[in-house]
Structure formats: structure tokens, C-alpha cells
Amino acid sequence: MVVGDFAIELDTVVVGAGPGGYVAAIRAAQLGQKVAIVEKENLGGVCLNVGCIPSKALIAAGHRYETALHSSEIGISAENVTVDFSKVQAWKDSVVKKLTGGVEGLLKGNKVEIIKGEAYFNDAHTMRVMTEDSAQTYTFKNVILATGSTPIEIPGFKWSKRVINSTGALSLPEIPKKIVVIGGGYIGMELGTAYANFGTEVTILEAGKEILAGFESSMSSIVKRGLKKKGNVEIYTEAFGKEVTETEDGVTVHFETKGELKSVDADYVLVTVGRFPNTKEIGLEAVGIELTERGLVKVDKQCRTNIENFYAIGDIIDGPPLAHKASYEAKIAADAISGEPSEIDYLAIPAVCFTDPELATVGYTKKQADEENLEVVVSKFPFGANGRALSLNATEGFVQLVTLKEDGLLIGAQVVGANASDIISEPGLAIEAGMTAEDIAETIHAHPTLGEISMEAAEVAAGHPIHILK
């Protein structure tokens, strides 16, 4: 049934309620705009519902189980450690529910109108929002597109009960005995590691020469070494999935690696080879929005498209598909609509991978600095020389700072080790604030903490290290 379709007037419309969309809606409302947000599925988007949050909950549960099994080195052992995976899933779902409920409360508290349905644009000022049994036309002044992305399906591996993407991997009814992961990027490595910690035999197929290509090899090699120590993870590089044979109880994955054909049996095959932007079938061509060959929306430094009142953020514009990138861009777009002078600066945007141990990077790497002909100094301090890391029995890894040779200005940092995802925030702030290594070195850090490793690396950069020989 189609409802009587008199156009409803709106001011600012946000399409998509993920970490980009809901943040854009809230910020725009705070700046005095009358805002409506359109979402066809769940508030919080992929990140809160089937991405960042549930995956970290699953990873945390896996760590608890592994720690219970393998703490004899520090004098602690346990017998008959078991996992009730249905309870793990229920706990994970409760975390998701709390956060998505919180998002709804924040939107309503900021007087953002929530419209359920799928948006389709007729022109630059008109859209229809459709549900299963109704359709409504709206007019608007400005739009922020935040429609996110979808996992890529590859030839020979059509989605099914046992050929799954990251969403399926987060809702398995049982811990698989064996799983094949196609794609050694951050999603595949995080989920593969999570199940390895639960005892699953994991086979990783990566098309490139190394896993975790977005991080320096000195970092990914530590992760690779840790996975080998687990004893239940096998990694193939330069490996390409050819096809899958599926039965009711499992799969056989046929693949090629370095010219050799191989096959491996498993309960499931998880395909994590990237994501494509959700820019099709929403009417962008009717508006005249310019897209790249990959289907990404072209934007300027204020996230404005070639159509003056259309803005785009998150996975549908250029750059890594990171939730915090989308949230950052959301504020820029909301500011721009309000006439604020904000614009994008990606230098201090971090990237994190929740493997064992964690990886994090922000700003320039040494290689990137060299490519731009910047003279830099790379300074490193190991976790193994830090008291807190030793007391946590987590000595693998390092903090590395990249500073300009002429004045010690911090332009990059890389962390591999326990809590790298938290440690990276300090160098990220330092880069954003234009601080030098000396500024970090002279900042008093609490002892004993992992945060001291950044200070120690800064002292190396400043030329006067205390707890490591120069």
C-alpha cells in the first residue's frame, strides 16, 4: 500500500545511520540545523551491529579463553576450561544492544527525526523513502550521504550457509573446528585470530606477498610469528581461492599458491577481500553526482560533492573504510553546511588492527616519508624493556616514532604490542598539535605503564635515552 504522497519538507537529511551518519546528524543538530536521518536497517550501521563492536567482543572472549589455558608460565593453571559459545554470542549481542540503544537515545535527545526506510533520490532536492508497504516523498535543503559499504563476493565463492562474510563469521552457532579465511587484511586477520584463540584450526589465504599489507613488515612479522606459535594457524601468501565445494557439513576450498594447486577441508570459508561502496540504486545518477571508476563519490576537502548541497562521508569516499574516519568526516560535513571553515586533514588519522599483538599506525611511515623526500629519523623502543609490559607478560613489540631530522617534529608513529590501539592516541595527538619528540619526552608519564614506551621512544629520538643503550 502506498500512502498519500504529499511531500514533507526537511532541512538537513543524513542517509545512513552508521558511525558516520549518526555523528553527522548529531553534530548538525548541535549546530542549529533541523535534521532527519534515514536508515533502512539498524541504527549504528555495520560498525556497531556486525563490525567493529561485535568483533572486538568476540576477540576479547577469545583472549579470556586462551589466557585461562596458557598462563602456567606465571604460575596459574586451570583444568577443564570450557566455552559455552551460545553465552559468548548472547554477551556479544548484549554489548551491541547497549550501544545501538544509546545511539537511538542520542539522536532523539538531539531532536533528530529518525526515518526508517530506503532512500532514493529523484533530483537534487527530492527523495522518496520506501519501506515494504509504503513510500513517502521528502524535499530537503542539504544531504549528507553516509551509506557505507558491503563485503565483496568473489567468483567461485557465492555467499551461502558455509561461504560467509564478516557478518556471518560473527554469528556462527558454534566454534568451528576448521575455518579457511580468504584475505589476510585486518578483517580476516582479526576474525581468524579470534577463532584461533578459541582453538579453531585456521588456514589463511592471502593474495599478496605478506599479510596485513597496510602495516610495515616489521610489525606484521611479529603477528605472523605469534600465529605460528599458536600451532593451529597456517598462512599461505600469493594464494588465490579458485572455487569451493560445499556439502551440508563443510567445505573444500581449492586454491592456487605460487603456481601450485592445493585444497583444504573446513567447516566454513570466510571471505574478507574488501568492501565496495553502497552508491548504486539510490538515484545518484539522477542527481548527477560524480563517481570514480570504483564507485566512490568524489568530494572536496569539506566532503562536498560536485552538487553543491550534497555531501558524502565514510566508506563511499576515498580512503580506508574506518569507522573513526567516517565520524571525523561527519563533523567536517556538518560544519561545512553550517558555514564553518573546517576541512579534512588526514595526517593524524590512525589505523588499528586487533590481532595478537595489536597493531597501530598514525601519520607517516619511514617509507612514506622517503617517498615525499622528507629527511626523517626513526626511533624505536621495545616493549621488552618496559616494566609494565614485563609484569603483564606481554613483551612482544615496540613503539616507533618518525620525526623530522631538522627539528624533531613528530610526523608519524607505529606501535605493535599489547594495547597498541590505546597507545597510538598519544602520538596521534602530538602530530595533530605539531609537537616534537622533545615535547613527549618532557611530558611526565605515570609509572609503571605501557604509555611510558612512547616517552622512552621520544627520548631515543631526542638523543638521550635512559632505559636503552644508545
Side-chain angles (χ1 to χ4, degrees):
M1 180 182 72
V2 177
V3 177
D5 198 14
F6 296 102
I8 297 174
E9 293 184 7
L10 300 173
D11 186 4
T12 296
V13 174
V14 180
V15 181
Y22 83 75
V23 170
I26 291 171
R27 176 54 60 88
Q30 290 171 343
L31 292 171
Q33 299 169 40
K34 184 181 178 182
V35 185
I37 190 166
V38 181
E39 173 55 54
K40 67 177 182 178
E41 293 180 349
N42 300 308
L43 296 178
V46 168
C47 175
L48 268 64
N49 291 279
V50 291
C52 317
I53 299 304
S55 67
K56 303 313 167 286
L58 199 65
I59 288 167
H63 281 156
R64 296 284 184 93
Y65 178 66
E66 187 185 46
T67 299
L69 289 175
H70 304 294
S71 294
S72 59
E73 183 180 350
I74 59 175
I76 298 172
S77 59
E79 295 181 1
N80 301 320
V81 180
T82 61
V83 179
D84 184 335
F85 202 59
S86 63
K87 282 189 176 181
V88 172
Q89 291 286 18
W91 171 74
K92 178 207 73 179
D93 292 342
S94 73
V95 173
V96 170
K97 187 176 181 180
K98 287 175 185 176
L99 287 171
T100 54
V103 168
E104 183 174 7
L106 288 168
L107 289 169
K108 290 180 177 177
N110 282 278
K111 297 181 172 56
V112 175
E113 180 184 357
I114 300 170
I115 301 172
K116 298 297 288 185
E118 190 167 358
Y120 186 90
F121 295 98
N122 299 321
D123 56 47
H125 290 281
T126 311
M127 72 174 180
R128 283 169 65 80
V129 176
M130 292 159 282
T131 64
E132 288 185 2
D133 57 5
S134 68
Q136 176 63 52
T137 298
Y138 295 87
T139 61
F140 52 83
K141 294 179 182 177
N142 294 290
V143 168
I144 299 175
L145 300 170
T147 50
S149 61
T150 303
I152 293 173
E153 185 179 71
I154 61 175
F157 292 84
K158 185 175 178 62
W159 304 133
S160 66
K161 177 184 175 181
R162 296 193 175 274
V163 180
I164 58 176
N165 54 35
S166 55
T167 300
L170 289 168
S171 56
L172 292 179
E174 79 289 334
I175 298 172
K177 292 182 175 62
K178 297 181 180 181
I179 192 168
V180 176
V181 179
I182 299 180
Y186 72 96
I187 296 176
M189 295 307 300
E190 285 185 354
L191 292 175
T193 300
Y195 279 109
N197 287 340
F198 280 120
T200 301
E201 291 183 28
V202 180
T203 302
I204 296 168
L205 308 180
E206 166 54 39
K209 292 184 178 180
E210 290 292 341
I211 58 170
L212 297 165
F215 296 91
E216 291 189 330
S217 59
S218 60
M219 302 170 72
S220 60
S221 64
I222 293 176
V223 173
K224 186 186 289 187
R225 186 166 67 237
L227 290 172
K228 287 183 178 179
K229 284 183 180 179
K230 291 181 188 297
N232 59 339
V233 180
E234 190 164 14
I235 300 172
Y236 292 92
T237 55
E238 298 180 73
F240 302 87
K242 308 299 286 186
E243 63 177 345
V244 61
T245 304
E246 184 175 354
T247 67
E248 182 63 28
D249 300 322
V251 294
T252 299
V253 176
H254 307 278
F255 64 99
E256 181 180 347
T257 176
K258 300 174 183 177
E260 186 179 357
L261 293 175
K262 289 179 176 289
S263 63
V264 58
D265 297 327
D267 300 312
Y268 298 93
V269 53
L270 166 61
V271 181
T272 61
V273 296
R275 304 177 67 86
F276 62 84
N278 294 330
T279 53
K280 294 182 178 180
E281 300 179 358
I282 58 174
L284 297 187
E285 63 282 352
V287 181
I289 300 292
E290 290 184 2
L291 304 178
T292 68
E293 290 183 2
R294 291 177 52 210
L296 297 169
V297 179
K298 295 181 180 180
V299 296
D300 65 13
K301 288 191 174 182
Q302 287 196 308
C303 299
R304 186 185 288 106
T305 72
N306 61 304
I307 305 301
E308 188 175 6
N309 64 320
F310 271 67
Y311 297 74
I313 61 175
D315 291 5
I316 63 171
I317 69 172
D318 195 30
L322 301 171
H324 49 272
K325 169 182 171 287
S327 297
Y328 168 72
E329 292 160 349
K331 298 167 191 174
I332 300 293
D335 285 351
I337 292 172
S338 296
E340 300 290 333
S342 299
E343 65 176 39
I344 293 169
D345 179 1
Y346 289 134
L347 177 59
I349 189 165
V352 175
C353 188
F354 291 81
T355 45
D356 289 344
E358 293 179 358
L359 305 178
T361 184
V362 65
Y364 285 94
T365 62
K366 172 66 163 59
K367 180 181 178 182
Q368 290 168 334
D370 289 344
E371 288 171 351
E372 295 200 20
N373 297 317
L374 297 173
E375 286 194 70
V376 297
V377 175
V378 177
S379 309
K380 187 183 292 188
F381 193 88
F383 271 60
N386 172 264
R388 179 60 173 157
L390 285 163
S391 68
L392 290 170
N393 196 31
T395 56
E396 288 278 8
F398 57 81
V399 171
Q400 176 176 282
L401 302 181
V402 181
T403 54
L404 292 180
K405 189 174 183 179
E406 60 180 355
D407 56 10
L409 183 72
L410 183 67
I411 63 169
Q414 291 75 46
V415 185
V416 52
N419 291 45
S421 56
D422 298 315
I423 294 170
I424 200 67
S425 293
E426 182 182 17
L429 173 63
I431 293 170
E432 178 67 28
M435 297 170 68
T436 65
E438 194 77 47
D439 292 324
I440 297 176
E442 292 180 356
T443 299
I444 301 172
H445 289 65
H447 175 78
T449 64
L450 296 176
E452 288 178 284
I453 307 175
S454 296
M455 178 188 71
E456 302 274 16
E459 289 180 337
V460 173
H464 45 69
I466 300 298
H467 293 108
I468 193 172
L469 294 175
K470 189 174 179 181

